[in-house]
Amino acid sequence: MILQALCEYYDRCSQDPEKALPIMGFEYKEIDFTIVIDIHGNFINLEDNRFNQDEVLKVRAFKVPQSAIRSGSKSSSVANCLWDHFGYVLAQGKPDAKGEDEIAKAQHQADLQFDSFFKQTALVAEQTQDPEVIAVLKFLQNRDNINKVKEHELYKDALKIKGCNFAFRLNSEQHLVCQTVNVQKWVQDHIEEKSDDLIDGVCLITGERGKITRLHNPVSGVTVKPAPLSSINDSAYCSYGKSKAFNFPCSVEAVFKYTSALNKLLQKDSLNRLRLSNMTMVFWSQKQSVLEENMGALFGDFDNPDARIEAIREVYASMHRGFNADTSGDSLFYVLGLSPNVSRIAIRFWITGTVAGFTQKIVEWLNDINIVVSFEHKKDWRFPIIKLVKSLALLNKEDDPKLTELYESLIRAIFSNRKFPVSILKTALIRIKADTNHVTPERAALIKAWLNRFYRITNKDKERVKEMLNTDEKDIGYNLGRLFAVLEKLQKDSSGGNLNSTITDRYYSSASCSPMTVFGTLMRLHSHHLRKLENVGQKVTYEKDIAAIMQNISAFPAHLNLEQQGLFAVGYYHQKQYLYTPKSEKEQN
């Protein structure tokens, strides 16, 4: 199902000139530098294909013959067609090699690589008789040309790039040599020439007879080095006398389509990709849809959120207006989670549904996390999932090993319309207590979402926890949180703000777990704080607020369960936002 959906995406993109994927046997690859030569093979210049975008150095991608599959001890003998990294093109050993033995070994490896690249180029030149390819062959035959490249001022930058890629271009042409018509025809004619790696059979993706390949093309963007999505290397998984990928027969054409489609979805600038800690999520629809184009904006985190906020608002509003009723509403939508696993790619989750169904689930998610925020957080409006989950990490670190599991469980719950796992609530409460009892907007939003989804799915209440302060809520945990926020504000006002630590710093953890052990002391202290207030009106306001909350608290319980602790945190957050919100903004809300 996954491979079939990816092949359908390739066919869909092929019909759109703006999204067209490379033809059979080609792919888009980042080429760091272009070696410019003349028709006689003489070196002319070294062109830099890097450029700055949003203060980030990026590399231009070119359509080139597909990368050769390299594995094992014979990898040095497999070169790409008319492009490759500096080891193959320029016989450059690893720049970071140290010691005489290591340097000698690296240079020997580079010499083998260059030899295979030379033989590959000679073969293409002989069989195509293309003058541009012959010019490249003449360049490789003259070592002085290679030395001139290495003496160029830009070559120092190339040595700093691991696996720096080079390609060739004639000074009289705009296209790369590997893009000529003759080379394209040669590549397509030789796709199936390796009889050892192909057998006749029925493709499980298309259902048609064709050439079945033993090795599938690698995919970039998940692991450090390109790795296959589908492969079998262990004899334990072989059956019926078939080995490797012959166990799940896929034709050469189908393998090319699904890997090309996945590589496009995984590109760094792709709108269909989200990097979630150690996991990568890609999504696409059967037909072009508004959801596919904007899902990244709804879930992702951006360096400049203000630039995207209006687009996000419009998408959110259009969901409520029912854009899912258009022609794409009934088409399928796919969400695929991937993560690195040794030398291959592991599938974390695969969720399918209709565009309309996914849209409704996203609306529910956005409503679940919608919570009142202070003025300085207004720009967030809707918290992206990256920011929400990072708030549960130690010091908001992205490399926290727990994050990947939290992302996976959260994504599964959102798109499968299930309750959020208890680990989400537990982790949020632990982080609040560990980080000086800091109930941030992100953590409060996530706890609110957990509670509302729990109540809705268990049929207790459709939307029990509101966006802002709810004075009608009778739950003991919520009201204890409200009371704690009022007592904290009272303490600060009575001291004029000159405090080294507040009751929150000292008592929040105990108050949210074992109220009986703390609130007796806090209620005695609050009388002392009231007497210190100089403003009579302020004193009366505090007395009224505390009395109103105490009407919902008949006694301080010995313990609060996990659900009540979550309500305590939200009640504390709601009340605190209310207390610190200016009167004019309260009226506006």
Side-chain angles (χ1 to χ4, degrees):
M1 180 63 183
I2 298 175
L3 305 186
Q4 188 177 22
L6 287 168
C7 287
E8 290 176 355
Y9 181 73
Y10 176 92
D11 292 334
R12 187 194 119 193
C13 290
S14 298
Q15 299 173 5
D16 186 348
E18 296 182 0
K19 295 183 178 180
L21 290 168
I23 60 175
M24 185 74 172
F26 282 75
E27 66 177 329
Y28 282 100
K29 201 76 175 180
E30 291 182 349
I31 304 296
D32 303 274
F33 297 92
T34 300
I35 300 173
V36 182
I37 59 177
D38 62 20
I39 194 64
H40 303 293
N42 298 315
F43 173 72
I44 302 297
N45 193 20
L46 187 62
E47 287 184 344
D48 193 346
N49 296 322
R50 300 170 299 168
F51 61 96
N52 281 308
Q53 182 175 326
D54 299 329
E55 298 182 358
V56 177
L57 190 64
K58 295 188 176 182
V59 183
R60 184 183 171 193
F62 294 82
K63 183 179 74 174
V64 297
Q66 203 161 18
S67 306
I69 299 175
R70 296 166 178 159
S71 61
S73 59
K74 296 182 179 180
S75 61
S76 298
S77 62
V78 183
N80 294 326
C81 180
L82 296 166
W83 73 273
D84 219 312
H85 66 68
F86 49 36
Y88 285 86
V89 178
L90 301 169
Q92 174 65 56
K94 291 182 179 179
D96 57 351
K98 297 178 181 179
E100 292 184 5
D101 292 341
E102 187 176 345
I103 292 174
K105 184 178 180 181
Q107 188 57 53
H108 176 69
Q109 178 84 353
D111 290 338
L112 294 175
Q113 292 171 344
F114 177 81
D115 185 56
S116 66
F117 186 79
F118 179 85
K119 290 178 180 178
Q120 170 82 316
T121 305
L123 177 65
V124 178
E126 179 185 356
Q127 296 184 356
T128 63
Q129 290 300 307
D130 189 299
E132 296 186 31
V133 181
I134 294 173
V136 174
L137 182 62
K138 291 179 179 178
F139 169 88
L140 297 175
Q141 289 172 333
N142 188 346
R143 284 287 179 145
D144 289 339
N145 286 322
I146 296 176
N147 292 332
K148 289 178 181 179
V149 175
K150 294 181 178 181
E151 292 169 0
H152 196 278
E153 58 182 0
L154 285 175
Y155 194 69
K156 293 179 181 179
D157 292 342
L159 294 176
K160 298 176 184 178
I161 303 172
K162 188 175 182 179
C164 182
N165 287 328
F166 288 80
F168 294 89
R169 180 177 71 82
L170 253 62
N171 60 340
S172 59
E173 302 293 342
Q174 295 299 317
H175 58 260
L176 298 180
V177 175
C178 60
Q179 295 174 337
T180 65
V181 175
N182 291 331
V183 173
Q184 291 187 39
K185 186 177 183 304
W186 185 88
V187 170
Q188 292 182 312
D189 290 343
H190 289 74
I191 289 174
E192 298 180 356
E193 71 174 359
K194 295 181 180 180
S195 58
D196 293 342
D197 287 342
L198 299 174
I199 62 172
D200 292 323
V202 178
C203 175
L204 64 80
I205 299 176
T206 63
E208 300 176 356
R209 293 197 66 84
K211 293 293 184 180
I212 306 303
T213 180
R214 181 178 66 88
L215 297 174
H216 288 206
N217 301 329
V219 175
S220 303
V222 179
T223 53
V224 176
K225 294 182 178 180
L229 177 68
S230 308
S231 65
I232 292 178
N233 277 349
D234 196 328
S235 59
Y237 303 103
C238 298
S239 58
Y240 297 97
K242 297 180 179 179
S243 62
K244 307 293 180 180
F246 293 139
N247 279 271
F248 52 102
C250 298
S251 66
V252 174
E253 182 180 4
V255 169
F256 172 77
K257 283 185 175 182
Y258 92 73
T259 52
S260 297
L262 191 53
N263 275 318
K264 179 177 177 61
L265 292 168
L266 287 166
Q267 286 177 349
K268 292 179 180 179
D269 58 349
S270 172
L271 298 177
N272 300 67
R273 167 186 177 270
L274 273 180
R275 186 75 174 180
L276 306 173
S277 186
N278 195 36
M279 180 177 69
T280 303
M281 183 177 80
V282 292
F283 43 86
W284 70 97
S285 54
Q286 198 174 35
K287 300 177 183 178
Q288 187 173 357
S289 64
V290 177
L291 179 60
E292 180 188 55
E293 295 172 357
N294 293 282
M295 186 167 159
L298 290 166
F299 279 83
D301 195 7
F302 298 91
D303 295 332
N304 184 9
D306 293 334
R308 300 288 304 185
I309 195 66
E310 290 304 321
I312 296 174
R313 286 181 185 274
E314 178 58 29
V315 173
Y316 182 73
S318 65
M319 287 178 176
H320 284 289
R321 291 197 300 267
F323 79 78
N324 53 342
D326 66 14
T327 55
S328 67
D330 294 331
S331 65
L332 293 175
F333 195 86
Y334 310 103
V335 178
L336 175 63
L338 305 169
S339 64
N341 180 24
V342 192
S343 59
R344 63 200 66 245
I345 297 172
I347 296 175
R348 301 296 296 244
F349 54 81
W350 169 246
I351 307 170
T352 64
T354 63
V355 171
F358 270 88
T359 301
Q360 183 57 40
K361 290 167 184 173
I362 291 173
V363 171
E364 290 177 354
W365 158 250
L366 293 176
N367 286 333
D368 284 341
I369 63 173
N370 189 21
I371 197 166
V372 62
V373 293
S374 57
F375 178 77
E376 61 267 24
H377 291 96
K378 282 292 184 184
K379 65 179 182 179
D380 293 318
W381 188 66
R382 291 289 184 273
F383 299 111
I385 193 170
I386 294 175
K387 184 172 287 188
L388 289 171
V389 176
K390 277 178 63 178
S391 71
L392 305 185
L394 178 64
L395 302 176
N396 282 8
K397 291 182 179 179
E398 294 185 4
D399 57 351
D400 191 323
K402 295 180 180 179
L403 290 189
T404 301
E405 293 181 8
L406 293 175
Y407 277 123
E408 180 180 353
S409 58
L410 202 57
I411 292 293
R412 284 180 180 274
I414 292 170
F415 294 129
S416 303
N417 198 25
R418 300 195 308 230
K419 292 185 291 185
F420 293 145
V422 179
S423 60
I424 296 288
L425 179 58
K426 283 183 176 179
T427 306
L429 294 175
I430 290 172
R431 289 263 54 88
I432 289 172
K433 296 169 186 176
D435 295 349
T436 62
N437 309 311
H438 197 23
V439 186
T440 63
E442 294 86 357
R443 291 167 183 167
L446 204 49
I447 293 172
K448 172 183 176 287
W450 190 98
L451 292 167
N452 273 343
R453 188 161 290 237
F454 173 78
Y455 293 134
R456 183 169 66 247
I457 293 176
T458 55
N459 297 318
K460 290 184 178 182
D461 198 339
K462 186 175 181 180
E463 189 183 356
R464 178 162 175 184
V465 187
K466 307 299 181 184
E467 176 186 351
M468 53 184 61
L469 182 64
N470 181 15
T471 56
D472 296 327
E473 176 60 63
K474 305 299 181 183
D475 185 90
I476 185 67
Y478 186 85
N479 283 284
L480 285 172
R482 289 184 58 200
L483 177 60
F484 195 83
V486 173
L487 295 177
E488 179 195 40
K489 183 69 162 54
L490 171 60
Q491 182 194 30
K492 289 182 178 180
D493 288 347
S494 65
S495 64
N498 298 320
L499 292 172
N500 292 326
S501 63
T502 65
I503 60 171
T504 303
D505 299 322
R506 293 183 178 182
Y507 300 115
Y508 180 93
S509 182
S510 300
S512 61
C513 298
S514 309
M516 182 185 292
T517 62
V518 174
F519 273 95
T521 302
L522 295 178
M523 294 307 290
R524 287 193 298 271
L525 285 174
H526 106 277
S527 301
H528 169 69
H529 295 147
L530 282 173
R531 287 194 297 268
K532 292 176 65 177
L533 289 175
E534 298 179 359
N535 189 314
V536 177
Q538 192 178 29
K539 179 179 179 180
V540 172
T541 299
Y542 273 116
E543 289 175 340
K544 287 182 177 180
D545 288 346
I546 293 172
I549 297 172
M550 287 300 295
Q551 289 181 357
N552 299 320
I553 304 174
S554 57
F556 296 119
H559 300 285
L560 294 181
N561 61 31
L562 208 60
E563 176 189 336
Q564 290 172 328
Q565 289 180 41
L567 285 166
F568 183 100
V570 177
Y572 170 80
Y573 176 82
H574 276 168
Q575 187 67 51
K576 194 169 181 179
Q577 292 299 314
Y578 181 83
L579 292 171
Y580 286 91
T581 301
K583 185 177 180 180
S584 59
E585 192 173 336
K586 289 178 183 177
E587 294 172 353
Q588 185 179 359
N589 289 338

